[in-house]
Amino acid sequence: MILKVIGLLVCLLGWLIAVSSVEVSGVYAQLVVALAGFIVAGVGALVIVNRAHLQDAIWKS
Amino acid sequence: MMVRINRARYRIVTLVFGLLAGAWVVTSSIALAQAPTEAAPAPAAAAAPAAPPVPITTADIKGLSGPAAADLAKGDPGGTSTGTVGDIPVSDTKAGLTLADVVNTVGQNRIAANFIWTLVTGYLVMFMQAGFAAVETGLCRAKNANHTFMMNFMVYGWGLFAYWVMGFALQQGGSAGNTNLGGLNSLNSEFTLNFLGGKPWGLFGQRGFFLSGATYDVGVAVMFLFQMVFMDTAATIVTGAAAERWKFAAFSISSVTLAAITYPLYANWAWGGGWTSQLGANYGLGHGYCDFAGSGVVHAVGGISALAVSMIIGPRIGKYSRDGRPHPMPGHDMTMVLIGCFILAFGWFGFNPGSTLGASGNGNLRIGLIAVNTMLAGCTGSIASLLYMWIRFGKPDASMAGNGLLAGLVAITAPSGFVNTVGAAIIGFAAGMLVCFSVEFIERVIKVDDPVGAISVHGTCGLWGVISVGLFADGTSNYGGSWNNVDGSVKGLFYGDPSQLVAQLIGCATLMGIIFTLAYVLNWLVDVVVGQRVGAATELAGLDLPEMGALGYPEFQLVSAGLGRSLEVAND
């Protein structure tokens, strides 16, 4: 459960990072920050939250 | 049975195929961006100044009349006497025909053309529900046919009801100003908060609940119908990913939450004047988040919600062995799948071109180009998937060819109004490749069971569609001189505006960060209250009888290949 919550928080963190790109100067720096935020959000969902579910997957029982 | 070719040959062929495809993408993109413009014509010799225009007045049209009644009574087989000045409604029969009558008729005809266009294209999108139902049911096993089809059938009812109650209001309640449909001026309340730099961030609308009060309006009704069928597309995507083990009650509640909350919020932010659409006006990021017909708003929202539900619900029994190796579970009717794909492709002619919300004025004559872009992307998507599967496994796989078509259509949905045909072909081809990689990644690497590939087709390729706006938008579209309150035409990175890609990436991060979290939390609550998944015995027996009370194919005895005997009904 805790891992799932952490994963969701990482998702939200990724969104915050991406949105913070509006405050960065230089369009290519903005691109990097926005992309980083997207990737962090993806890691939260596909890695952390998913790993929490895989820990007690039905095929492991 | 798929035939594996020699590994070395596979690697070489895949490498060559990938390099050729990549080279085509890069060179085509460079060619697109550097296309020589025609030399400006030499200035003409100075001409005499034109006479100032003389305004026409009612006096100019006095005395005009249509055909005589006696002539009309003879019939009009050639159509030359039908549709004349005699058909213009006169507001004051004593005063007779006035200029105001003529001008009002012009205005009403323009709005009528736009109403008809939006409604008819909306009807096409509604028919896509049949396509989704056929694709999903065909890709599932026969013992779940009734249940799978019913989910796609009832998502229309549940979704429409929830959207009428509150979803439309949250999405469009603050979107007044659409000149294609008469202004929609009663949708004039958007909840905003000031954020980053003190800029107003629109979060959700506050007008249009139950389409009552001032929103009981002819234009609002047209907008409601069109937006509702888009919402329903997003809702139905989830049913495919969770098929074969989703409780019908849980599906019903989950669909209501998506229609009432999840979808309308993101759609407000993108289409209802909300914060992502204003990233350009507020922060100089291109034209803000641009999503012409919904790669992000519809498909990625649906695909990412499907990802959340699939994680919560878990894989089907037998999908993975104890060491995590996946096993194929083929669908029962490939002909149904492919005809479903054709129905979807047909309906997509409503999805993308219809998103102009009109056929008259404001650059709407681009509808033909949008339709061609749509066709092309679907075509190259199916070709890419077909070739990938053929080279890799030695056979042209029908289900992936169908998914490749859908992947191309999903990916072109956002950029369809902003790109040229070469861009559309590239976007579709890339989507066709991407969906193949994504299906394997989701099944084998992150081990999420998705019976129909909905997460890959709609989630992955939806995100690609959003990103491709920021790459391939060519700056030639002109929808009334501006988009999202920023003057000029939408341009992507390859055409000189990298800031547009920033806005698109923020949209993608919002999908993965906010929408995934929201969908996950809402569906976790559904799991706590009613339980998302059916019991093991029900799943093994097939959901048709235990959940729906009737088999999809009652005259056929269904035999499980694994059990080697007839399936028995379980009650739990």
Side-chain angles (χ1 to χ4, degrees), chain A residues 4 8 11-12 15 18-19 21-23 27-28 30-31 34 38 41 45-46 49-50 53-54 58-61, chain B residues 196 201 275 285 307 311-312 315 320-322 324 446-448 499 501 506 509-510 512-514 516-517 520 533:
Chain A
K4 292 171 190 171
L8 294 179
C11 287
L12 294 174
W15 171 74
V19 160
S21 65
V22 304
E23 300 287 354
V27 69
Y28 291 102
Q30 286 179 317
L31 265 176
F38 174 41
L46 298 174
V49 173
N50 190 50
H53 281 283
L54 289 179
I58 193 170
W59 42 271
K60 288 185 177 177
S61 57
Chain B
L196 288 174
W201 281 37
W275 68 273
L285 295 178
L307 176 67
M311 284 182 183
I312 291 171
Y320 295 96
S321 51
R322 284 187 187 278
I446 68 172
K447 301 193 195 306
V448 172
S499 67
L501 184 57
I506 292 175
T510 306
M512 286 307 302
I514 301 285
F516 174 81
T517 304
Y520 188 92
R533 190 179 178 136

